[in-house]
Amino acid sequence: MVYSGDGVNAQLQLAIKSWYSKSLTLQLFQLDTWFEMQTAVKKAHQAKHNPEATNLTELKHGESGILDRLDLPEDDARRLMELGFLPGHAITPGHSAPGGDPRVFRVDGSEVALRRETARRLILRSARLK
Amino acid sequence: MSDCHGCSVATLPPPPAIPTRRHIVAIVGPPNSGKSTLFNRLTGLRQKVANFPGVTVEHRMGKVKVDGGREVFAVDLPGVYSLEPRTEDERVTHDVLLGQMKDLPKPDAVLLILDSTNLARHLVLAAPVLSLGLPTLVILNMADDLSRRGGGVDVAELSMQLGSPVALVSASRGEGFDKVFQFLAGTTQAAPRTAPMMQLPVIQDIPKCRAWAANVGSKGKYQAPAPPHWTRRLDAVFLHPVAGPLVFGIVVIAVFQSIFFWAKPAMDLLQETITAVGAWVGSLIPNPTLHSLVVDGVFNGVGSVVVFLPQILILFLFIGILEDSGYLARAALIMDRTMSRFGLQGKSFIPLLSAYACAVPAIMATRTIENKRDRIATILIAPFMTCSARLPVYTLLIAAFIPDRRLLGVFLSAGTAVMLGLYAIGFLAAIFTAKLLKSTVLKSSRSSFMLEMPPYRWPTFRSLGLRLVDRSKVFLRRAGTVILAVAIIIWVLANLPVHNGQPPEIGQSIVGMIGHVVEPAIKPLGFNWKIGIGLITSLAAREVIVGTLGTIYGIEDPSAKSAGLQHALQQDLTLGGAVALMVFFAFAMQCMSTIAVVRRETGGWRWPIIQFAYMTGMAYVCAFLVNQAITALF
């Protein structure tokens, strides 16, 4: 009897343990799904090319544009090109500082923060101009 | 880059000469590629920070042990995106690689480290580096990240394309280093290089370089990994319009709070140890004069500064974590608008943040600011940021004068609040000065701000540990040299002139006489002559005042242990004087190293003199007002 009592006890502990770990994985799983959903929503938008935008500041969240030229002094333009802002590359706006300026832009595998005044000078290939 | 490199396709170099001296390997790579992690992994503790003569760019050198007990010297060069010498960083890297740096022979080999998770873009730097013709190992770092995120690369194929050996490593985990050590062992013999299959592009043309990199990448079967999801997720919080600034505030408060609470047990232990060792050493010395010199002079003087080592290490640990994890770039982003309001650019933020640790490396870090006027403005305001040398002074005075009361439950104590206030006034003085400078003598048009946001990464224990070891060395070296010397000088001057073989009463000693000469000038601030001596000695370095006061009060009352310094100050200083002293330290530029580095960085005595006069004047006026106000109120 003593042994079986111990057995019940052990079973109970096992059950509690498995419930605990299950609920933990469940929580983690849910958190993960939530994140996945968040990114999935963004991903769906990311692909959306916006041919109307003429410069980076006109791109809305989840839109992308193709860089046409950098309307900046030589030094700044070179620096930006080294960071990945090359004509022909797709650019997507990301998060920003509170107030929307500066904003992070995703380009060529990197994320680079630019002030609004700089972003305005990065001209996109626009349908409107053609 | 010399002109001929810019206008023609690079030709194959002659095979390197057989080296007979020490072998030097340069580590080159873009920012955030993991250069420092690789360097730490290779050299461990066998490294030191050094400066090239004539330029301000710091670099680290270290010995790497390779096969058969041979040694190779590794040089960690500043992170660059290209080899065009426009900024000082790039010039140093360029000059070292071309063997144009004084006191450093041309490197025998190059370790080019690139981030494998962003290879197509990072390969752009391979073009100019490979065209130098030095034996080069291309190291693709973050291999673990690459495979986890579903990317991949054919190392053998890429190696063929580049005409150089390629190693896929994870510097943070130390994986894949066999090939690196093999290569390093090979550099001690002359190794011929094979010609690259891909002809190198004209390297000043970035679009062409990028196209070349994409071509090489695709021939090397490079599979770009999925985007860094965790970075996106963390940014969704850290760069959230509401949560972001909130997290920023919590991080800042948590850092300062832990400087107090975590450091306290370690500091108490250190204090007890120093007192015990001092007493033990003292008991071995029968001669009373020598006994006084060792116990009062050395142990009270140096000991009262060394006690603060845990606090400084915790501060550096936090700055290290913030920097290595990638959060610092987000903090700079959040702060940019605030900075621009005072005429500064976002890039000024990182030097200013590191000035919270120490102004000297911060002033050196301003070299990344291309705009000369912005750079000088940042240099001039950096010493206002509350550096770690002020911590001992603040901690001592807060412990002695500010009641230990809770303000916001467990979260904020009165001491922390005062400390935060002192950090705040330093910051306010800095932005006020920035505004003043930028609207008058250093006026310039708004400059651009571009800052790469690196993916979040776990800081490695190795890198953090090496930082702390480095910092401890600097701190203890100073305690063992400058502070020890000042402590002995103060002790000697406090025991002269000798009357009938007896040391004078401290007020009658040379120290006392000097103190009484300066006392009228500082009396309106609420300081007595002993503080005056402390102010004079703290011109060497701020924390020296704590050592000096430890020595002076130790001689005055030999029974007082170092913890008695708080007691002695409570007897000797009013609340107004104590707060005024903290305010004085918040503003005054008492640091020889900073003055020296400003002179070197600005190329003359003009700016350091203006800066010293301005800061000391501001410190005097504000301390005077604070003392008068508090004395009138209480």
Side-chain angles (χ1 to χ4, degrees), chain B residues 290-536:
Chain B
L290 210 58
H291 178 276
S292 167
L293 171 65
V294 171
V295 177
D296 304 330
V298 175
F299 273 89
N300 273 346
V302 177
S304 49
V305 177
V306 169
V307 169
F308 292 97
L309 182 62
Q311 263 190 348
I312 285 161
L313 290 188
I314 287 182
L315 181 69
F316 274 90
L317 177 69
F318 272 106
I319 289 186
I321 291 173
L322 292 182
E323 203 177 324
D324 290 359
S325 66
Y327 182 73
L328 209 53
R330 276 74 183 182
L333 177 66
I334 291 176
M335 285 299 286
D336 178 65
R337 248 159 79 102
T338 317
M339 303 294 292
S340 72
R341 215 163 284 159
F342 303 102
L344 287 171
Q345 55 170 322
K347 272 194 181 164
S348 302
F349 181 76
I350 290 174
L352 289 182
L353 201 74
S354 63
Y356 279 115
C358 179
V360 174
I363 287 168
M364 289 177 172
T366 58
R367 62 176 189 259
T368 55
I369 302 168
E370 291 100 349
N371 184 310
K372 180 108 187 161
R373 284 164 173 245
D374 282 0
R375 185 170 173 218
I376 288 184
T378 311
I379 288 173
L380 293 182
I381 66 170
F384 274 120
M385 311 312 265
T386 307
C387 69
S388 57
R390 287 177 174 106
L391 267 180
V393 186
Y394 289 171
T395 316
L396 177 70
L397 291 168
I398 286 175
F401 288 94
I402 306 300
D404 188 19
R405 213 181 298 150
R406 304 257 155 212
L407 293 182
L408 288 173
V410 284
F411 196 59
L412 193 66
S413 67
T416 311
V418 170
M419 186 66 101
L420 280 176
L422 288 165
Y423 275 79
I425 59 168
F427 180 74
L428 291 176
I431 55 177
F432 167 77
T433 308
K435 187 88 186 153
L436 189 72
L437 288 168
K438 292 297 292 180
S439 52
T440 52
V441 283
L442 293 174
K443 212 178 224 162
S444 68
S445 60
R446 259 163 77 90
S447 40
S448 52
F449 165 78
M450 347 172 158
L451 189 65
E452 193 174 354
M453 301 280 129
Y456 291 104
R457 290 197 174 107
W458 286 108
T460 63
F461 285 111
R462 191 178 261 262
S463 289
L464 291 176
L466 283 169
R467 261 173 204 266
L468 297 190
V469 168
D470 223 40
R471 207 24 67 175
S472 309
K473 271 195 210 155
V474 169
F475 184 77
L476 292 177
R477 194 180 305 132
R478 195 144 81 174
T481 52
V482 178
I483 294 169
L484 179 66
V486 170
I488 292 173
I489 290 167
I490 292 292
W491 182 87
V492 169
L493 294 183
N495 282 286
L496 288 176
V498 179
H499 284 297
N500 312 325
Q502 286 291 315
E505 207 229 316
I506 190 151
Q508 312 297 322
S509 67
I510 296 180
V511 162
M513 285 188 263
I514 298 172
H516 287 302
V517 170
V518 296
E519 194 169 26
I522 55 172
K523 196 134 206 173
L525 314 187
F527 306 160
N528 59 27
W529 66 267
K530 290 166 207 162
I531 303 291
I533 296 293
L535 291 181
I536 293 172

Side-chain angles (χ1 to χ4, degrees), chain B residues 245-258:
Chain B
L246 213 64
V247 169
F248 179 72
I250 290 171
V251 166
V252 171
I253 292 178
V255 169
F256 293 130
Q257 186 80 349
S258 56

